[in-house]
Amino acid sequence: MNATLFVCTTCRAGQPVVDGQPVAGARLYTALLESPRPPGLTIAPVECLSACSNGCVVALSAPACWSYVYGRLSQDDANDILAGAAAYAATSDGLVPWRERPLIFRKQSLARLPPQER
Amino acid sequence: MNATLFVCTTCRAGQPVVDGQPVAGARLYTALLESPRPPGLTIAPVECLSACSNGCVVALSAPACWSYVYGRLSQDDANDILAGAAAYAATSDGLVPWRERPLIFRKQSLARLPPQER
């Protein structure tokens, strides 16, 4: 399945912006790009996922699948995010069994959305 | 455009469940069904949108459009939700100008998701 991991690259995660330094969302995006990418997964930067009070934020979506949004993340979570994204990309409907989700996905869900009508 | 307003009907919104009484999400769903429905909008019940700490919760999605999730809602917000959903359904990309969004949509966004790849 072709899944997309959207990463909010403008998220400050409540931290002050320092001139010349990437914000927390950009650091998370870089960390994700620097890790091995699971098969079938595209990583896409997005400017604002409108979950600013719960940043950093990522979202997973794929055609005909449930979408998920996760928050309160940082660059230190990159490997767990990719493990969760790999499990998601391996499903046909986006529904990963609860115990197979990384802890951050179990505890830090902001929302999920049903599959879109075709 | 055909847009869908998903309503979490299992949401307790942090309130205790009372035998024989519908939970907050079910009351919101009923209130939405009892109001005039904007053209092009389908209202669909969903069991859990995984935003349980911010209930009640609704989501708006449509093909090739940004999706939005809103929280901390109640049955008293039904008319404002439908006004916002009408504005959303009238767009081609899901992006309603900021000032044309009802206050609850400006203040109570939980997340948004980019359009799905086709």
Side-chain angles (χ1 to χ4, degrees):
Chain A
M1 181 174 82
N2 289 315
T4 304
L5 176 69
F6 295 104
V7 185
C8 177
T9 56
T10 50
C11 189
R12 302 171 185 184
Q15 299 161 10
V17 177
V18 179
D19 267 357
Q21 289 189 13
V23 295
R27 294 200 302 272
L28 172 58
Y29 178 60
T30 300
L32 289 165
L33 290 185
E34 288 174 347
S35 303
R37 188 172 315 173
L41 186 73
T42 299
I43 301 178
V46 183
E47 291 191 359
C48 196
L49 287 167
S50 291
C52 310
S53 58
N54 283 297
C56 297
V57 178
V58 302
L60 278 168
S61 76
C65 287
W66 285 80
S67 299
Y68 285 83
V69 188
Y70 299 103
R72 301 186 294 281
L73 301 166
S74 80
Q75 58 189 333
D76 297 336
D77 298 311
N79 286 339
D80 284 347
I81 293 168
L82 289 170
Y88 177 87
T91 69
S92 60
D93 56 8
L95 299 171
V96 176
W98 183 257
R99 292 187 178 195
E100 294 171 24
R101 301 180 192 185
L103 192 62
I104 50 170
F105 280 16
R106 283 185 249 164
K107 298 283 189 186
Q108 290 161 230
S109 165
L110 298 186
R112 66 172 190 165
L113 277 96
Q116 282 193 355
E117 295 293 326
R118 295 275 114 186
Chain B
M1 180 176 84
N2 291 315
T4 303
L5 176 68
F6 294 103
V7 185
C8 177
T9 55
T10 49
C11 190
R12 304 172 183 185
Q15 299 160 12
V17 176
V18 180
D19 267 357
Q21 289 188 15
V23 295
R27 295 199 303 271
L28 171 58
Y29 178 61
T30 299
L32 289 165
L33 290 184
E34 287 173 347
S35 303
R37 189 171 316 174
L41 186 73
T42 300
I43 301 178
V46 183
E47 290 191 1
C48 195
L49 288 166
S50 292
C52 309
S53 59
N54 284 295
C56 296
V57 178
V58 302
L60 277 168
S61 76
C65 287
W66 285 80
S67 300
Y68 285 84
V69 187
Y70 300 104
R72 301 186 293 280
L73 301 166
S74 80
Q75 58 189 333
D76 298 336
D77 298 312
N79 287 339
D80 284 347
I81 292 168
L82 289 170
Y88 177 87
T91 69
S92 60
D93 55 9
L95 298 171
V96 176
W98 184 256
R99 293 188 177 195
E100 295 172 24
R101 300 180 194 185
L103 192 61
I104 50 169
F105 281 15
R106 282 185 250 163
K107 298 283 189 184
Q108 290 161 231
S109 164
L110 298 187
R112 67 173 189 164
L113 275 97
Q116 282 193 355
E117 296 294 325
R118 294 275 115 186

